[in-house]
Protein backbone atom coordinates (compact mmCIF):
# COMPACT_ATOMS: atom_id res chain seq x y z
CA UNK A 1 0.00 0.00 0.00
CA UNK A 2 1.54 3.32 -0.97
CA UNK A 3 1.59 6.31 1.33
CA UNK A 4 -1.03 7.98 -0.86
CA UNK A 5 -3.42 4.99 -0.80
CA UNK A 6 -6.79 5.10 0.90
CA UNK A 7 -6.44 3.42 4.30
CA UNK A 8 -8.77 0.57 5.16
CA UNK A 9 -10.91 0.53 8.32
CA UNK A 10 -9.48 -1.31 11.31
CA UNK A 11 -10.81 -4.84 11.40
CA UNK A 12 -8.75 -7.25 13.50
CA UNK A 13 -10.32 -10.70 13.19
CA UNK A 14 -9.41 -14.23 14.25
CA UNK A 15 -6.63 -15.76 12.20
CA UNK A 16 -8.89 -18.65 11.23
CA UNK A 17 -11.26 -16.22 9.52
CA UNK A 18 -8.82 -13.71 8.09
CA UNK A 19 -6.30 -13.28 5.39
CA UNK A 20 -2.68 -12.77 6.31
CA UNK A 21 -3.03 -9.10 5.50
CA UNK A 22 -2.50 -5.94 7.37
CA UNK A 23 -5.10 -3.20 7.70
CA UNK A 24 -4.18 0.38 8.53
CA UNK A 25 -5.95 3.14 10.40
CA UNK A 26 -4.94 6.75 10.84
CA UNK A 27 -2.27 8.48 8.78
CA UNK A 28 -0.55 6.36 6.15
CA UNK A 29 3.10 5.42 6.34
CA UNK A 30 3.21 2.18 8.32
CA UNK A 31 3.37 0.11 5.17
CA UNK A 32 1.92 -3.37 4.92
CA UNK A 33 -0.58 -5.47 3.04
CA UNK A 34 -3.50 -4.33 0.92
CA UNK A 35 -6.39 -4.78 3.31
CA UNK A 36 -8.89 -4.70 0.46
CA UNK A 37 -7.70 -8.09 -0.82
CA UNK A 38 -10.03 -11.07 -0.64
CA UNK A 39 -10.20 -12.71 2.79
CA UNK A 40 -10.07 -16.12 1.14
CA UNK A 41 -6.73 -15.72 -0.64
CA UNK A 42 -3.84 -17.78 0.79
CA UNK A 43 -1.12 -16.08 2.83
CA UNK A 44 1.39 -16.66 0.02
CA UNK A 45 -0.60 -14.31 -2.24
CA UNK A 46 0.49 -11.31 -0.22
CA UNK A 47 3.95 -9.93 -0.93
CA UNK A 48 4.21 -6.80 1.17
CA UNK A 49 6.45 -6.23 4.20
CA UNK A 50 5.30 -7.56 7.57
CA UNK A 51 5.12 -5.36 10.63
CA UNK A 52 8.67 -5.64 11.90
CA UNK A 53 9.98 -4.49 8.53
CA UNK A 54 8.31 -1.11 9.12
CA UNK A 55 9.39 -0.72 12.75
CA UNK A 56 11.32 2.42 13.62
CA UNK A 57 12.44 4.08 16.86
CA UNK A 58 9.59 5.01 19.23
CA UNK A 59 7.02 2.82 17.48
CA UNK A 60 5.09 0.26 19.56
CA UNK A 61 4.36 -3.37 18.74
CA UNK A 62 2.31 -6.20 20.21
CA UNK A 63 2.57 -9.64 18.63
CA UNK A 64 0.71 -12.87 19.41
CA UNK A 65 -0.09 -16.03 17.47
CA UNK A 66 -3.43 -14.42 16.53
CA UNK A 67 -2.68 -10.78 15.84
CA UNK A 68 0.13 -8.30 15.39
CA UNK A 69 -0.38 -4.62 16.13
CA UNK A 70 2.03 -1.90 14.99
CA UNK A 71 1.38 1.62 16.29
CA UNK A 72 3.03 5.01 15.82
CA UNK A 73 2.54 8.32 17.56
CA UNK A 74 0.06 9.33 20.25
CA UNK A 75 -3.36 10.75 19.49
CA UNK A 76 -4.67 10.63 23.06
CA UNK A 77 -2.97 9.34 26.25
CA UNK A 78 -4.82 7.71 29.14
CA UNK A 79 -2.89 7.75 32.41
CA UNK A 80 -5.64 7.11 34.96
CA UNK A 81 -4.91 4.56 37.68
CA UNK A 82 -6.71 1.22 37.45
CA UNK A 83 -8.26 1.89 40.89
CA UNK A 84 -9.84 5.07 39.42
CA UNK A 85 -12.27 3.47 36.94
CA UNK A 86 -9.66 2.96 34.27
CA UNK A 87 -11.95 0.52 32.45
CA UNK A 88 -14.77 3.05 32.20
CA UNK A 89 -12.42 5.83 31.11
CA UNK A 90 -10.98 3.60 28.38
CA UNK A 91 -14.42 2.71 27.04
CA UNK A 92 -15.45 6.37 26.89
CA UNK A 93 -12.20 7.35 25.17
CA UNK A 94 -12.49 4.60 22.56
CA UNK A 95 -16.09 5.55 21.81
CA UNK A 96 -15.08 9.19 21.36
CA UNK A 97 -12.16 8.30 19.09
CA UNK A 98 -14.32 5.95 17.03
CA UNK A 99 -16.80 8.78 16.40
CA UNK A 100 -14.13 11.34 15.51
CA UNK A 101 -11.17 9.46 13.99
CA UNK A 102 -12.18 5.87 13.21
CA UNK A 103 -11.61 2.60 15.00
CA UNK A 104 -8.16 3.20 16.41
CA UNK A 105 -7.24 0.89 19.32
CA UNK A 106 -6.05 1.65 22.82
CA UNK A 107 -2.72 0.07 23.72
CA UNK A 108 -0.02 0.15 26.35
CA UNK A 109 0.59 -1.15 29.85
CA UNK A 110 -1.00 -1.06 33.30
CA UNK A 111 1.25 -1.29 36.39
CA UNK A 112 1.19 -3.89 39.16
CA UNK A 113 -0.05 -1.42 41.77
CA UNK A 114 -3.63 -0.25 41.28
CA UNK A 115 -2.92 3.27 42.50
CA UNK A 116 -0.18 4.02 39.96
CA UNK A 117 -0.96 5.65 36.59
CA UNK A 118 -1.53 3.47 33.54
CA UNK A 119 0.59 4.06 30.44
CA UNK A 120 -2.11 3.68 27.78
CA UNK A 121 -2.78 5.64 24.63
CA UNK A 122 -4.67 5.79 21.36
CA UNK A 123 -2.02 5.97 18.62
CA UNK A 124 -1.99 8.38 15.70
CA UNK A 125 -1.49 5.40 13.35
CA UNK A 126 -2.18 1.70 13.77
CA UNK A 127 -1.85 -1.38 11.59
CA UNK A 128 -3.09 -4.88 12.38
CA UNK A 129 -2.06 -8.14 10.76
CA UNK A 130 -3.56 -11.59 11.26
CA UNK A 131 -1.63 -14.29 13.04
CA UNK A 132 -0.24 -15.96 9.93
CA UNK A 133 1.49 -12.72 8.91
CA UNK A 134 4.50 -13.23 11.17
CA UNK A 135 7.15 -10.58 11.46
CA UNK A 136 9.93 -10.55 8.92
CA UNK A 137 13.23 -9.42 10.37
CA UNK A 138 13.06 -11.74 13.37
CA UNK A 139 16.56 -13.17 13.51
CA UNK A 140 18.11 -16.33 14.90
CA UNK A 141 21.75 -16.45 15.84
CA UNK A 142 23.92 -15.11 18.62
CA UNK A 143 22.71 -11.93 20.28
CA UNK A 144 25.26 -9.23 21.06
CA UNK A 145 24.94 -6.24 23.34
CA UNK A 146 25.86 -2.85 21.96
CA UNK A 147 28.57 -1.95 24.48
CA UNK A 148 31.93 -3.65 24.09
CA UNK A 149 32.91 -3.38 27.75
CA UNK A 150 31.39 -5.61 30.43
CA UNK A 151 28.40 -3.73 31.87
CA UNK A 152 27.96 -2.75 35.48
CA UNK A 153 25.10 -4.73 37.03
CA UNK A 154 23.17 -3.81 40.17
CA UNK A 155 20.87 -6.54 41.56
CA UNK A 156 17.81 -5.24 43.48
CA UNK A 157 17.42 -7.02 45.79
CA UNK A 158 20.75 -8.85 45.95
CA UNK A 159 20.51 -12.66 45.65
CA UNK A 160 21.21 -13.16 49.36
CA UNK A 161 18.46 -10.68 50.26
CA UNK A 162 16.08 -12.37 47.83
CA UNK A 163 16.60 -15.68 49.65
CA UNK A 164 15.94 -13.95 52.98
CA UNK A 165 12.74 -12.53 51.47
CA UNK A 166 11.70 -16.06 50.55
CA UNK A 167 12.43 -17.27 54.09
CA UNK A 168 10.38 -14.45 55.60
CA UNK A 169 7.55 -15.16 53.16
CA UNK A 170 7.56 -18.83 54.19
CA UNK A 171 7.33 -17.78 57.83
CA UNK A 172 4.25 -15.67 57.08
CA UNK A 173 2.67 -18.57 55.21
CA UNK A 174 3.41 -20.83 58.20
CA UNK A 175 1.86 -18.26 60.58
CA UNK A 176 -1.42 -18.34 58.61
CA UNK A 177 -3.46 -15.85 56.60
CA UNK A 178 -1.24 -16.17 53.52
CA UNK A 179 -1.12 -19.18 51.20
CA UNK A 180 1.09 -17.85 48.40
CA UNK A 181 3.17 -14.77 47.66
CA UNK A 182 5.31 -13.91 44.63
CA UNK A 183 8.76 -12.59 45.40
CA UNK A 184 10.69 -10.93 42.58
CA UNK A 185 14.04 -9.35 41.88
CA UNK A 186 15.56 -7.10 39.23
CA UNK A 187 18.90 -6.44 37.58
CA UNK A 188 19.79 -2.87 36.57
CA UNK A 189 22.34 -3.09 33.78
CA UNK A 190 24.35 -0.12 32.56
CA UNK A 191 24.37 -0.93 28.85
CA UNK A 192 22.96 0.40 25.60
CA UNK A 193 20.30 -1.94 24.22
CA UNK A 194 19.03 -1.56 20.67
CA UNK A 195 15.27 -2.07 20.91
CA UNK A 196 14.80 -3.12 17.28
CA UNK A 197 17.51 -5.79 17.55
CA UNK A 198 16.18 -7.04 20.86
CA UNK A 199 12.65 -7.21 19.45
CA UNK A 200 13.86 -9.24 16.47
CA UNK A 201 15.66 -11.66 18.78
CA UNK A 202 12.59 -12.12 20.99
CA UNK A 203 10.31 -12.82 18.02
CA UNK A 204 12.75 -15.39 16.67
CA UNK A 205 13.36 -17.15 19.98
CA UNK A 206 9.72 -17.48 21.09
CA UNK A 207 7.42 -16.85 18.10
CA UNK A 208 4.32 -18.08 19.94
CA UNK A 209 4.82 -15.77 22.93
CA UNK A 210 3.14 -12.42 23.54
CA UNK A 211 5.96 -10.15 22.39
CA UNK A 212 5.72 -6.42 22.96
CA UNK A 213 7.66 -3.19 22.68
CA UNK A 214 5.80 -0.23 24.15
CA UNK A 215 7.29 3.25 23.87
CA UNK A 216 6.23 4.93 27.11
CA UNK A 217 7.25 8.58 26.66
CA UNK A 218 4.15 9.67 24.76
CA UNK A 219 1.84 8.31 27.47
CA UNK A 220 3.36 10.35 30.28
CA UNK A 221 5.94 7.74 31.15
CA UNK A 222 9.74 7.85 31.15
CA UNK A 223 11.84 8.04 27.99
CA UNK A 224 11.95 4.27 27.88
CA UNK A 225 10.60 1.21 26.11
CA UNK A 226 8.84 -1.62 27.92
CA UNK A 227 9.85 -4.69 25.95
CA UNK A 228 9.35 -8.39 26.58
CA UNK A 229 8.19 -11.82 25.54
CA UNK A 230 5.49 -13.01 27.92
CA UNK A 231 4.32 -16.62 27.86
CA UNK A 232 1.18 -15.80 29.85
CA UNK A 233 -2.16 -14.63 28.44
CA UNK A 234 -4.16 -12.72 31.01
CA UNK A 235 -7.25 -12.22 28.83
CA UNK A 236 -8.21 -12.20 25.17
CA UNK A 237 -11.66 -11.38 23.81
CA UNK A 238 -13.17 -11.80 20.36
CA UNK A 239 -16.88 -11.08 20.24
CA UNK A 240 -18.51 -12.96 23.11
CA UNK A 241 -15.66 -15.47 23.53
CA UNK A 242 -12.86 -15.01 26.03
CA UNK A 243 -9.73 -16.94 26.94
CA UNK A 244 -7.43 -16.72 29.93
CA UNK A 245 -4.33 -18.92 30.20
CA UNK A 246 -2.72 -18.61 33.64
CA UNK A 247 0.68 -20.11 34.36
CA UNK A 248 1.81 -21.10 37.86
CA UNK A 249 4.26 -23.76 38.90
CA UNK A 250 7.55 -23.73 37.00
CA UNK A 251 10.92 -25.41 36.65
CA UNK A 252 13.99 -24.41 34.60
CA UNK A 253 14.62 -26.42 31.43
CA UNK A 254 17.75 -28.49 30.80
CA UNK A 255 19.92 -28.67 27.68
CA UNK A 256 19.97 -32.47 28.09
CA UNK A 257 16.80 -33.89 26.45
CA UNK A 258 16.38 -36.74 28.95
CA UNK A 259 16.83 -34.46 31.95
CA UNK A 260 14.53 -31.88 30.37
CA UNK A 261 11.76 -34.49 29.99
CA UNK A 262 12.34 -35.74 33.53
CA UNK A 263 11.89 -32.22 34.87
CA UNK A 264 8.71 -31.71 32.86
CA UNK A 265 7.19 -34.97 34.08
CA UNK A 266 8.24 -34.15 37.63
CA UNK A 267 6.51 -30.77 37.43
CA UNK A 268 3.24 -32.46 36.48
CA UNK A 269 3.53 -34.62 39.61
CA UNK A 270 4.80 -31.96 42.03
CA UNK A 271 2.36 -31.51 44.91
CA UNK A 272 3.83 -28.08 45.71
CA UNK A 273 3.50 -26.80 42.14
CA UNK A 274 0.04 -28.32 41.61
CA UNK A 275 -1.11 -26.59 44.81
CA UNK A 276 0.34 -23.28 43.63
CA UNK A 277 -1.36 -23.70 40.25
CA UNK A 278 -4.73 -24.58 41.79
CA UNK A 279 -4.74 -21.37 43.83
CA UNK A 280 -4.35 -19.34 40.65
CA UNK A 281 -6.98 -21.20 38.62
CA UNK A 282 -9.56 -21.02 41.40
CA UNK A 283 -9.06 -17.26 41.67
CA UNK A 284 -9.21 -16.68 37.88
CA UNK A 285 -12.39 -18.74 37.52
CA UNK A 286 -14.03 -16.91 40.43
CA UNK A 287 -13.20 -13.52 38.87
CA UNK A 288 -14.53 -14.46 35.41
CA UNK A 289 -17.65 -16.37 36.44
CA UNK A 290 -19.85 -13.28 37.08
CA UNK A 291 -19.17 -12.09 33.50
CA UNK A 292 -19.81 -15.43 31.77
CA UNK A 293 -22.81 -17.58 30.88
CA UNK A 294 -20.41 -20.42 30.08
CA UNK A 295 -16.99 -21.08 31.61
CA UNK A 296 -14.84 -24.12 30.90
CA UNK A 297 -12.07 -24.88 33.40
CA UNK A 298 -10.05 -28.08 32.82
CA UNK A 299 -9.70 -30.37 35.81
CA UNK A 300 -5.90 -30.61 35.55
CA UNK A 301 -3.12 -28.46 34.08
CA UNK A 302 -0.99 -29.22 31.04
CA UNK A 303 2.63 -28.33 30.30
CA UNK A 304 3.73 -25.19 28.48
CA UNK A 305 7.34 -24.87 27.34
CA UNK A 306 9.34 -21.71 26.73
CA UNK A 307 13.00 -21.70 25.66
CA UNK A 308 14.06 -21.46 29.32
CA UNK A 309 11.19 -22.81 31.45
CA UNK A 310 8.51 -25.47 31.86
CA UNK A 311 5.22 -24.12 33.24
CA UNK A 312 1.98 -25.64 34.47
CA UNK A 313 -0.71 -24.13 32.23
CA UNK A 314 -4.51 -24.12 32.21
CA UNK A 315 -6.56 -22.57 29.40
CA UNK A 316 -9.88 -21.18 30.66
CA UNK A 317 -12.52 -20.54 27.97
CA UNK A 318 -15.71 -18.55 28.45
CA UNK A 319 -18.72 -17.04 26.70
CA UNK A 320 -19.76 -13.61 27.97
CA UNK A 321 -23.22 -12.72 29.19
CA UNK A 322 -22.71 -9.29 27.62
CA UNK A 323 -20.48 -9.34 24.50
CA UNK A 324 -19.97 -5.58 24.84
CA UNK A 325 -17.86 -6.05 27.99
CA UNK A 326 -14.38 -4.85 27.08
CA UNK A 327 -11.25 -6.95 27.22
CA UNK A 328 -9.57 -4.33 29.40
CA UNK A 329 -12.44 -4.39 31.91
CA UNK A 330 -12.15 -8.18 32.12
CA UNK A 331 -8.37 -8.07 32.40
CA UNK A 332 -8.56 -5.55 35.23
CA UNK A 333 -11.08 -7.77 37.02
CA UNK A 334 -8.43 -10.51 36.99
CA UNK A 335 -5.44 -8.33 37.87
CA UNK A 336 -3.37 -9.08 39.84
CA UNK A 337 -3.80 -12.84 39.68
CA UNK A 338 -2.14 -15.06 42.30
CA UNK A 339 0.38 -15.96 39.56
CA UNK A 340 2.08 -12.56 39.99
CA UNK A 341 0.89 -11.41 43.43
CA UNK A 342 -0.22 -14.26 45.67
CA UNK A 343 -3.25 -15.48 47.59
CA UNK A 344 -5.20 -13.99 49.24
CA UNK A 345 -4.48 -10.86 47.24
CA UNK A 346 -4.30 -8.17 49.90
CA UNK A 347 -2.07 -10.02 52.41
CA UNK A 348 0.18 -10.99 49.49
CA UNK A 349 0.34 -7.42 48.21
CA UNK A 350 1.24 -6.15 51.69
CA UNK A 351 4.01 -8.73 51.95
CA UNK A 352 5.41 -7.68 48.58
CA UNK A 353 5.43 -4.01 49.58
CA UNK A 354 7.15 -4.78 52.89
CA UNK A 355 9.75 -7.29 51.72
CA UNK A 356 10.69 -6.88 48.07
CA UNK A 357 12.67 -3.67 48.40
CA UNK A 358 11.84 -1.99 45.08
CA UNK A 359 8.90 -0.64 43.07
CA UNK A 360 7.83 -3.14 40.40
CA UNK A 361 6.28 -0.41 38.23
CA UNK A 362 4.90 -2.02 35.08
CA UNK A 363 6.44 -5.44 35.80
CA UNK A 364 3.72 -8.01 36.66
CA UNK A 365 1.05 -5.63 35.36
CA UNK A 366 -0.69 -6.12 32.02
CA UNK A 367 0.26 -5.14 28.49
CA UNK A 368 -1.74 -5.26 25.27
CA UNK A 369 -4.55 -3.58 23.36
CA UNK A 370 -8.31 -3.11 23.15
CA UNK A 371 -10.52 -1.76 20.34
CA UNK A 372 -13.82 0.11 20.39
CA UNK A 373 -15.75 -3.18 20.15
CA UNK A 374 -14.06 -4.36 23.33
CA UNK A 375 -12.00 -7.00 21.54
CA UNK A 376 -8.34 -7.26 22.46
CA UNK A 377 -5.46 -9.17 24.00
CA UNK A 378 -3.74 -8.55 27.32
CA UNK A 379 -0.67 -10.45 28.47
CA UNK A 380 0.86 -10.53 31.92
CA UNK A 381 3.91 -8.26 31.89
CA UNK A 382 6.63 -10.78 32.68
CA UNK A 383 9.89 -11.82 30.94
CA UNK A 384 10.41 -8.14 30.24
CA UNK A 385 12.79 -5.22 30.51
CA UNK A 386 12.55 -1.48 30.83
CA UNK A 387 15.05 -0.12 28.30
CA UNK A 388 16.32 3.43 28.75
CA UNK A 389 19.05 5.21 26.77
CA UNK A 390 21.98 3.83 28.75
CA UNK A 391 20.34 1.30 31.06
CA UNK A 392 18.15 -1.77 30.94
CA UNK A 393 16.31 -3.21 33.94
CA UNK A 394 15.19 -6.83 33.75
CA UNK A 395 12.83 -8.59 36.15
CA UNK A 396 11.84 -12.07 37.34
CA UNK A 397 9.73 -13.54 40.11
CA UNK A 398 8.82 -16.85 41.71
CA UNK A 399 5.73 -18.04 43.55
CA UNK A 400 6.33 -18.92 47.20
CA UNK A 401 4.11 -21.54 48.84
CA UNK A 402 4.55 -23.99 51.70
CA UNK A 403 7.39 -26.29 50.68
CA UNK A 404 9.30 -23.69 48.63
CA UNK A 405 13.09 -23.66 49.04
CA UNK A 406 14.95 -20.31 48.90
CA UNK A 407 17.81 -21.66 46.76
CA UNK A 408 15.40 -23.25 44.27
CA UNK A 409 13.37 -20.05 44.01
CA UNK A 410 16.53 -18.05 43.33
CA UNK A 411 17.45 -20.55 40.60
CA UNK A 412 13.98 -20.17 39.08
CA UNK A 413 14.32 -16.39 38.86
CA UNK A 414 17.78 -16.79 37.32
CA UNK A 415 16.36 -19.07 34.63
CA UNK A 416 13.55 -16.62 33.91
CA UNK A 417 16.02 -13.73 33.58
CA UNK A 418 17.72 -15.65 30.77
CA UNK A 419 14.81 -14.88 28.42
CA UNK A 420 15.68 -11.21 28.21
CA UNK A 421 19.39 -11.37 28.99
CA UNK A 422 19.97 -14.06 26.37
CA UNK A 423 18.22 -11.96 23.74
CA UNK A 424 20.42 -9.02 24.77
CA UNK A 425 23.61 -11.08 24.44
CA UNK A 426 24.08 -10.98 28.23
CA UNK A 427 23.05 -14.51 29.28
CA UNK A 428 26.20 -14.84 31.41
CA UNK A 429 25.01 -11.96 33.61
CA UNK A 430 22.13 -14.05 34.98
CA UNK A 431 24.45 -16.88 35.97
CA UNK A 432 26.97 -14.54 37.63
CA UNK A 433 24.32 -12.65 39.60
CA UNK A 434 22.54 -15.85 40.62
CA UNK A 435 25.73 -17.05 42.32
CA UNK A 436 26.41 -13.77 44.08
Amino acid sequence: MSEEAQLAPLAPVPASESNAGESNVGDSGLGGFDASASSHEPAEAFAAPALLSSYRAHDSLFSSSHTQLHARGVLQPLTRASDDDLAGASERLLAQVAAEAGRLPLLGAVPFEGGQPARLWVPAQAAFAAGRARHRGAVHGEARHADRIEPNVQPVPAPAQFKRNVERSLQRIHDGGLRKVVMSRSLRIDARVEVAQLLAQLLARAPSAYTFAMDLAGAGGPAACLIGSSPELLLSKRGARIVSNPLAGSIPRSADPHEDRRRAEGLLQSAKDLHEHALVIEDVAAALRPFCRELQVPAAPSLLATPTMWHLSTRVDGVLRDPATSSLRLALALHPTPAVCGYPTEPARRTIRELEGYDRGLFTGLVGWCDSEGDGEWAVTIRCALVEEHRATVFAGAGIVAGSQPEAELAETTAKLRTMLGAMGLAHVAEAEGRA
Side-chain angles (χ1 to χ4, degrees), residues 233-296:
L233 174 65
L234 182 62
L235 193 288
S236 71
K237 173 185 176 288
R238 293 175 183 275
R241 297 191 175 276
I242 63 167
V243 177
S244 182
N245 196 168
L247 308 179
S250 308
I251 192 168
R253 299 195 65 177
S254 171
D256 177 79
H258 297 291
E259 172 63 15
D260 194 47
R261 174 50 56 184
R262 187 194 68 79
R263 292 183 185 186
E265 292 172 350
L267 183 62
L268 276 175
Q269 303 299 320
S270 167
K272 178 191 83 72
D273 290 290
L274 289 169
H275 167 64
E276 179 184 347
H277 191 81
L279 291 176
V280 176
I281 300 308
E282 290 168 8
D283 188 76
V284 167
L288 290 177
R289 199 163 280 121
F291 295 98
C292 295
R293 58 182 176 85
E294 296 177 21
L295 194 66
Q296 298 176 359

Side-chain angles (χ1 to χ4, degrees), residues 375-400:
D375 290 350
E377 288 183 299
W378 297 93
V380 181
T381 313
I382 54 176
R383 312 298 147 79
C384 64
L386 187 69
V387 175
E388 301 166 272
E389 185 177 3
H390 296 293
R391 171 187 283 183
T393 305
V394 295
F395 309 87
I400 313 304

Side-chain angles (χ1 to χ4, degrees), residues 340-421:
V340 296
C341 181
Y343 188 84
T345 300
E346 288 311 313
R349 205 195 307 255
R350 284 196 300 272
T351 300
I352 290 167
R353 289 169 179 161
E354 292 167 11
L355 299 184
E356 248 180 9
Y358 77 103
D359 181 1
R360 290 186 181 186
L362 296 171
F363 171 58
T364 63
L366 50 142
V367 59
W369 62 273
C370 179
D371 69 14
S372 60
E373 300 296 316
D375 290 350
E377 288 183 299
W378 297 93
V380 181
T381 313
I382 54 176
R383 312 298 147 79
C384 64
L386 187 69
V387 175
E388 301 166 272
E389 185 177 3
H390 296 293
R391 171 187 283 183
T393 305
V394 295
F395 309 87
I400 313 304
V401 296
S404 293
Q405 299 294 323
E407 194 66 46
E409 303 306 328
L410 177 63
E412 180 175 323
T413 60
T414 299
K416 290 174 176 176
L417 288 168
R418 289 193 201 112
T419 296
M420 295 304 298
L421 292 175

Side-chain angles (χ1 to χ4, degrees), residues 66-236:
H66 293 289
T67 304
Q68 288 80 52
L69 168 61
H70 180 188
R72 182 171 294 162
V74 176
L75 180 67
Q76 181 69 49
L78 180 59
T79 57
R80 185 175 298 204
S82 58
D83 287 350
D84 187 23
D85 190 27
L86 176 61
S90 70
E91 290 158 4
R92 292 188 292 273
L93 174 59
L94 283 167
Q96 175 188 340
V97 169
E100 297 175 358
R103 287 182 56 203
L104 286 158
L106 180 78
L107 76 155
V110 177
F112 172 70
E113 290 284 0
Q116 293 182 354
R119 301 303 176 194
L120 299 172
W121 66 95
V122 175
Q125 301 171 250
F128 278 81
R132 287 176 292 169
R134 303 306 295 175
H135 297 276
R136 293 196 186 94
V139 293
H140 292 277
E142 183 181 359
R144 300 178 183 274
H145 71 95
D147 294 331
R148 295 185 178 183
I149 61 172
E150 194 64 18
N152 177 60
V153 179
Q154 180 186 4
V156 182
Q161 182 60 51
F162 176 82
K163 290 191 285 186
R164 286 193 289 271
N165 292 347
V166 174
E167 291 168 354
R168 294 173 68 185
S169 298
L170 287 167
Q171 184 60 54
R172 295 191 184 196
I173 291 170
H174 179 269
D175 292 343
L178 183 64
R179 297 171 66 186
K180 174 184 177 178
V181 64
V182 175
M183 283 287 111
S184 73
R185 65 191 187 100
S186 67
L187 299 178
R188 298 173 184 171
I189 305 165
D190 292 334
R192 283 190 304 112
V193 174
E194 298 293 338
V195 170
Q197 293 178 17
L198 177 55
L199 184 60
Q201 284 282 338
L202 293 172
L203 287 163
R205 289 165 180 246
S208 62
Y210 298 89
T211 301
F212 52 89
M214 297 290 174
D215 187 72
L216 302 175
C225 180
L226 177 69
I227 183 168
S229 184
S230 175
E232 187 167 2
L233 174 65
L234 182 62
L235 193 288
S236 71

